[in-house]
Amino acid sequence: MKADKLTISVSLLAWGALYYLLGWISLFLDGSESRVAFIWLPSGVAVTAFLITTRKQWLALWITLFLARLFLGMTFQHTLHVSLVLALFSLTSHLGIAWCVRDFSRGYDRLHKIVTWVISTIVISALAALAGVGWISLLAGSMQMQWLWIVWSANVTGTLFVTPPLMGLLASSNKEARRESIPGVCLVFAVLLATLYIFNGVPDRSDNIALIYALACLPLVLLTATTVICGNRLASVAFILFSAVVIYASWRETGPFYFARLAAEESVLLAQCYLSAAALLLVFIRAQKTQTAADPPPRAMAYSLDPETGSLIWDPLADPAFAAALASVTSREALLARVPDPQQQAQMAARWQAVANGQPVSEAFRFTLALPGQLPVPIAERNLLLMSDRDRPVIVAFWSEDKASLFQSAPQEEG
């Protein structure tokens, strides 16, 4: 127990330190006097932390990141009450993005989870940006809407291109990655060298813009090859090096996006879109690569429960492994005993009671099922209905094995 608490404490401190470090970099790149960063890297750190941390630890994690954000404001001598409110809006939006990914994509494939993540990032970041700019406008006594797109794009791009490589680094390596480590390392260096070369200079008016933009696609081609050939960790290392060079070039105002025909804000926006597109390319390829034969379809099961007697009958045509493991579970009490979490037990019993009383239960229910001789299995109960069998009411439930999210590096995610 003490070891678990120590592990959780170290994990929280590590997330807080990483949040502070990337926040310091973001504000340093925009100048110490800046209150709003053009690229807010900690947003991706916060979203990643909430995605891979269990819900029971969300409050402690939120407080840790909140303190890191306040300490960051103190480091740059920001006004305390402004930092407090902006930290509240920002971290709540990051928590909302993680909640949407977990709750609106349960049981679906990885591509669905990615789309949920992208949409929730765009929408929730817009709401947070409106709230933050509204607060700043209230303090200033005049509308400050010129900051709206900066705050929104900083959070969106920071989330889109920081979350995937962090999740890739935290994911476990596989045998294919070990076999292909030598060509993978070569590809990582190729990505770094190509990005350094392309983003080193400033385009001239006489330069061929089409050729410059075509060359800017070369690192993306190499990143694609790295993602296809290598495991998640090497691909993430390549993307982090690539992003670091692009961000540093943006700070120095060099690279293919900084030519005389564009204003500085337009160049920054182009660089952000470039990084976000690269991150989405990486994460979609990763999803497609892992969504093949190595990722079998989720197992399914159904049962009928007599609410009066408590007797339970399993679907004989369900997944054989499920059917064999649950053959001895023939009563309501025996099924509840297979759910280790007392809170989930209470939720399951409350759902049965609600359906038996004729109340509709439309929301999905996610819980962990303990099977003999197996690791705990995450289950998503999608449908719970009251039906009639020989003039007797029965409760019918449909289960499916809940596959881990693309953004979940360990099988610890719950509810």
Side-chain angles (χ1 to χ4, degrees), residues 235-313:
S236 298
V237 169
F239 184 82
I240 289 171
L241 294 173
F242 160 79
S243 300
V245 173
V246 174
I247 292 173
Y248 180 69
S250 300
W251 180 60
R252 294 178 58 234
E253 297 188 357
T254 62
F257 307 118
Y258 285 86
F259 52 89
R261 303 175 200 177
L262 290 180
E265 293 81 6
E266 294 173 326
S267 298
V268 170
L269 183 60
L270 273 178
Q272 290 175 317
C273 293
Y274 178 73
L275 284 172
S276 299
L280 290 176
L281 177 66
L282 179 148
V283 79
F284 274 108
I285 292 174
R286 185 187 301 170
Q288 194 63 32
K289 188 173 73 169
T290 56
Q291 193 74 23
T292 56
D295 191 19
R299 297 179 291 175
M301 171 65 82
Y303 68 82
S304 61
L305 171 68
D306 190 322
E308 294 183 6
T309 64
S311 62
L312 191 146
I313 301 175

Side-chain angles (χ1 to χ4, degrees), residues 299-301 314-330 338 369-374:
R299 297 179 291 175
M301 171 65 82
W314 296 100
D315 179 11
L317 302 178
D319 179 82
F322 265 170
L326 295 170
S328 60
V329 180
T330 59
R338 291 293 179 186
L369 184 68
L371 298 178
Q374 301 184 32

Side-chain angles (χ1 to χ4, degrees), residues 113-300:
K113 290 177 170 67
I114 294 173
V115 173
T116 303
W117 168 61
V118 173
I119 294 176
S120 60
T121 297
I122 293 172
V123 174
I124 295 177
S125 295
L127 296 175
L130 282 171
V133 171
W135 169 251
I136 294 174
S137 300
L138 181 64
L139 293 178
S142 61
M143 294 300 293
Q144 304 288 319
M145 297 305 292
Q146 69 272 16
W147 294 106
L148 181 61
W149 80 268
I150 297 177
V151 176
W152 174 78
S153 62
N155 279 285
V156 169
T157 54
T159 301
L160 292 184
F161 75 79
V162 172
T163 302
L166 274 182
M167 295 305 301
L169 285 177
L170 295 171
S172 57
S173 57
N174 49 46
K175 295 180 180 179
E176 290 77 10
R178 295 192 187 98
R179 286 200 302 264
E180 297 160 349
S181 59
I182 295 178
V185 170
C186 293
L187 278 172
V188 170
F189 276 104
V191 170
L192 177 61
L193 293 175
T195 311
L196 284 170
Y197 173 76
I198 293 168
F199 283 82
N200 185 47
V202 179
D204 191 83
R205 286 182 179 271
S206 60
D207 292 336
N208 188 330
I209 300 302
L211 177 60
I212 291 173
Y213 281 169
L215 286 174
C217 294
L218 178 59
L220 300 183
V221 174
L222 294 173
L223 276 174
T224 300
T226 308
T227 307
V228 171
I229 295 175
C230 306
N232 289 341
R233 286 181 176 171
L234 269 182
S236 298
V237 169
F239 184 82
I240 289 171
L241 294 173
F242 160 79
S243 300
V245 173
V246 174
I247 292 173
Y248 180 69
S250 300
W251 180 60
R252 294 178 58 234
E253 297 188 357
T254 62
F257 307 118
Y258 285 86
F259 52 89
R261 303 175 200 177
L262 290 180
E265 293 81 6
E266 294 173 326
S267 298
V268 170
L269 183 60
L270 273 178
Q272 290 175 317
C273 293
Y274 178 73
L275 284 172
S276 299
L280 290 176
L281 177 66
L282 179 148
V283 79
F284 274 108
I285 292 174
R286 185 187 301 170
Q288 194 63 32
K289 188 173 73 169
T290 56
Q291 193 74 23
T292 56
D295 191 19
R299 297 179 291 175

Side-chain angles (χ1 to χ4, degrees), residues 72-107:
L72 187 64
M74 293 171 57
T75 303
F76 285 87
Q77 299 181 350
H78 293 171
T79 307
L80 179 60
H81 67 277
V82 175
S83 296
L84 280 170
V85 176
L86 293 182
L88 175 64
F89 291 152
S90 179
L91 289 173
T92 302
S93 70
H94 302 149
L95 177 61
I97 293 170
W99 180 84
C100 287
V101 171
R102 288 191 173 188
D103 279 56
F104 292 130
S105 57
R106 294 176 177 178

